[in-house]
Amino acid sequence: MSARLPIYLLVGLTLATPATAAETAPGTAAGDTRERRFIEITPNDQVPTIRAITPIDGSNVFFLNHRGQVGVAKFSPGLSQIGWEFYSEVKLNALPSLALGPGYSVLSASPYELTQGFDTDRDVELDFFQALVREWTDRDKGVVITAGPVADPHGRVLFALSPHALKAGDPPKARLMAWVPATGSLIPVTESELLIDGFALRRDGLLATRLAMPDYTDGFFLSLTELPPPVPDKPAEAPSPMPFTLPSLIIPAEITKRDRPDQPVFFDEEGRSKLLLVCPVSHHLIEVVPEKVDGLWQGAILLRALSPKPIYTAAAVESGLLLGGGDEGFVPLQDDPSVHRITRLDLAADGIALAFSQPVDRYEAVKPENYSVKAIALGGGEKTLAIQPVVESDGRHLVLRCELPGPGSVLRVVCQNLPSEKGGKLLHASAFYTLHSR
C-alpha cells in the first residue's frame, strides 16, 4: 500500500467548477435553506477504509470510508496506487454508494436524503452541500432510501425506496426512483414486492438488483430487469407499463457460506458482461454471468476468488479491471490464473459445458463418479442427472453430457474430485445455473 500523499501530488486530478444550485436542483424555492457548510474534523486514518468506490476517470476514483467521509485516490495503469487524500472532511450518514455528479460533484444518500457535495473554490475539498431530494411519498410513515445513488446514462440519479404505496389503497411496493435534474422531478422506474438493498446499472439499461428476503435462508435473490430509456420529450414521465422487478437468479447460500452477497457491480471480461458481488464476512467474491434466453434472464453463479481480507465494495475502473476496497485500503481484484477454479458454466446442446482456469487431471475428469449434478426445482424437489463427461483436447473445457431439466430449476454441479493436471485443488467444487428457458 502506498503511503498517503499530499493532495497536490495526485497528478492529473483537476476538478472543474461545479454547477450552481440553480443549475443542479431546478425548482428549488427561493429562500430554501437546504445548503449547509461542512463540519471540519481531524482524520487519523493512515490507510483509508473503503466502503464505496466510484470512478472519476481512468486513473482517479472517489471513495467513501467507514466514517462517511469522501476521499479521492489516484492510480497508475494496472491499478498501482499512487496516493490518496480526503475530498471531504464531513461525516455523512451515507449508504455505501457514491455517484459522480456534474462538475466533479459527489452524490451520496442517507436513509432520508439524496445529497450533492461541491468543491466550490477548486481546492480539492468539498465545501458546499445541498439536499437534492428529501421528500417522497410516505416519508413521514417511515419510507426510507435503502440503496443508491447510481447515475444512469441519461443524466438521472437512481435510488431505491422501501415499500410504500403511490396511491391510497394500493399495495405497498419497493421502487427504484429516478431524480431528473432537468425538471427536479422524482419518478419511479421499476417496482418490486421485495425490498431493494443494492443494485447496479449497465450502460445499456440492464438493472441488477439485490432483493431482500430474510425468511429465505437457502439463498439470495438477484433480479435482472431491462429499464427503458426516458422518452426524450417527456423526461419526467414514468415508464408505461412499469417494469416489475422479479427474482431472476438465486445465489445459493452454499457458495457464499451463508454470507449475504452485496454491492453488485457490472464488468466486462473475455467478451462477456458479468457481475461481481462481495461477501465481507466469508471473504467470497461471487461472479454472476447473466444470459438472456427467450426473453428471460438466467445465468451461472461461480466463486471467483477468496479474498485474504474482507472486501466491502468493488468497482470497474478500467476496461476489464476491478478495484476492491476494505478496511486496509484498495485491493486490485484481477482474476488470478494460478488459482484452479471453474471459470464458466454454460448450457450446451448435449448437456452442461464447463471451463476451468487450468487444465484438469484428465484421468479423473472422465470418471462420472467424480461429479454430482442435480436439478433443484424452484417450486421444490430435486432430481439427480445422469452424466457422461467428455474432456476436450486443451484440458480446460469439458462437457457433462446429460438430459437437461425443464425450465424453472437451479442446476447444481459439483466436481468433488477434479484436481488440475498439476494436482491443484479446485477453489470451490460447486457451480450453479438458474435455468428459466433453453
Side-chain angles (χ1 to χ4, degrees):
M1 179 60 62
S2 301
R4 177 177 171 184
L5 300 182
I7 194 69
Y8 59 80
L9 292 182
L10 300 186
V11 181
L13 179 59
T14 303
L15 302 185
T17 303
T20 65
E23 292 172 325
T24 56
T28 301
D32 195 317
T33 58
R34 295 185 179 192
E35 302 85 2
R36 60 265 190 190
R37 300 287 297 183
F38 68 88
I39 301 171
E40 291 189 6
I41 64 173
T42 302
N44 56 14
D45 285 343
Q46 295 304 309
V47 174
T49 59
I50 313 296
R51 293 297 182 271
I53 302 170
T54 189
I56 301 172
D57 51 31
S59 59
N60 301 289
V61 304
F62 286 133
F63 66 89
L64 183 76
N65 74 356
H66 71 287
R67 295 191 182 99
Q69 296 165 283
V70 177
V72 62
K74 183 175 179 61
F75 297 84
S76 65
L79 297 184
S80 177
Q81 189 178 350
I82 296 174
W84 70 276
E85 182 59 282
F86 283 129
Y87 186 46
S88 166
E89 303 292 354
V90 71
K91 287 183 177 180
L92 300 170
N93 179 24
L95 298 172
S97 183
L98 292 174
L100 185 65
Y104 292 100
S105 61
V106 178
L107 305 175
S108 63
S110 73
Y112 303 102
E113 182 180 291
L114 177 66
T115 308
Q116 186 173 31
F118 296 108
D119 170 21
T120 60
D121 53 10
R122 292 193 291 179
D123 64 351
V124 200
E125 288 186 6
L126 293 180
D127 54 17
F128 180 83
F129 291 85
Q130 67 174 353
L132 298 180
V133 181
R134 58 180 179 184
E135 295 178 2
W136 50 78
T137 303
D138 288 345
R139 187 184 190 277
D140 58 337
K141 297 178 182 178
V143 174
V144 296
I145 299 175
T146 58
V150 171
D152 79 357
H154 310 291
R156 305 180 299 181
V157 182
L158 307 182
F159 61 91
L161 292 179
S162 69
H164 66 296
L166 291 177
K167 298 178 182 178
D170 286 352
K173 294 177 183 177
R175 289 180 173 84
L176 197 68
M177 310 298 291
W179 181 74
V180 185
T183 62
S185 55
L186 187 65
I187 62 171
V189 293
T190 187
E191 54 190 16
S192 168
E193 292 182 355
L194 301 175
L195 185 143
I196 298 170
D197 63 7
F199 67 95
L201 186 68
R202 206 166 66 180
R203 288 200 62 82
D204 63 356
L206 180 60
L207 174 72
T209 309
R210 265 280 296 115
L211 302 178
M213 192 172 180
D215 294 337
Y216 182 69
T217 60
D218 291 333
F220 306 90
F221 290 157
L222 183 70
S223 170
L224 296 167
T225 309
E226 294 171 89
L227 297 183
V231 179
D233 57 342
K234 299 177 181 178
E237 285 193 9
S240 180
M242 179 77 67
F244 200 80
T245 300
L246 294 170
S248 303
L249 290 86
I250 294 177
I251 301 175
E254 173 186 342
I255 204 169
T256 71
K257 295 190 72 173
R258 300 200 172 275
D259 186 14
R260 186 186 76 173
D262 204 4
Q263 297 215 36
V265 57
F266 279 105
F267 68 102
D268 294 325
E269 187 175 64
E270 297 178 343
R272 296 187 119 185
S273 176
K274 301 180 180 181
L275 278 161
L276 182 79
L277 295 96
V278 300
C279 300
V281 176
S282 67
H283 299 192
H284 285 204
L285 303 180
I286 305 301
E287 179 181 308
V288 177
V289 187
E291 295 182 289
K292 191 176 183 182
V293 181
D294 295 334
L296 299 173
W297 285 98
Q298 55 191 37
I301 297 96
L302 312 169
L303 180 63
R304 180 179 178 88
L306 289 174
S307 60
K309 302 288 184 178
I311 299 295
Y312 291 95
T313 187
V317 294
E318 294 180 22
S319 178
L321 294 180
L322 287 165
L323 181 66
D327 289 336
E328 299 185 10
F330 295 99
V331 182
L333 299 178
Q334 288 93 329
D335 197 15
D336 185 354
S338 68
V339 175
H340 179 41
R341 75 174 186 98
I342 301 171
T343 60
R344 195 160 177 171
L345 191 163
D346 290 316
L347 303 183
D350 54 350
I352 300 167
L354 295 174
F356 299 84
S357 58
Q358 299 178 357
V360 298
D361 182 326
R362 291 168 174 80
Y363 178 77
E364 298 295 343
V366 296
K367 297 178 180 179
E369 62 268 25
N370 285 340
Y371 306 88
S372 171
V373 180
K374 291 185 177 182
I376 305 167
L378 296 177
E382 62 180 50
K383 177 184 178 182
T384 299
L385 305 184
I387 62 99
Q388 181 59 52
V390 177
V391 183
E392 296 187 10
S393 58
D394 64 358
R396 294 177 184 265
H397 298 81
L398 62 86
V399 175
L400 302 179
R401 289 181 175 170
C402 64
E403 183 177 345
L404 290 173
S409 59
V410 173
L411 287 172
R412 177 179 182 263
V413 179
V414 181
C415 306
Q416 53 244 20
N417 182 26
L418 193 56
S420 71
E421 65 180 7
K422 295 182 179 180
K425 183 180 178 181
L426 270 176
L427 176 68
H428 197 274
S430 302
F432 300 85
Y433 192 102
T434 301
L435 190 155
H436 295 298
S437 183
R438 60 181 178 87

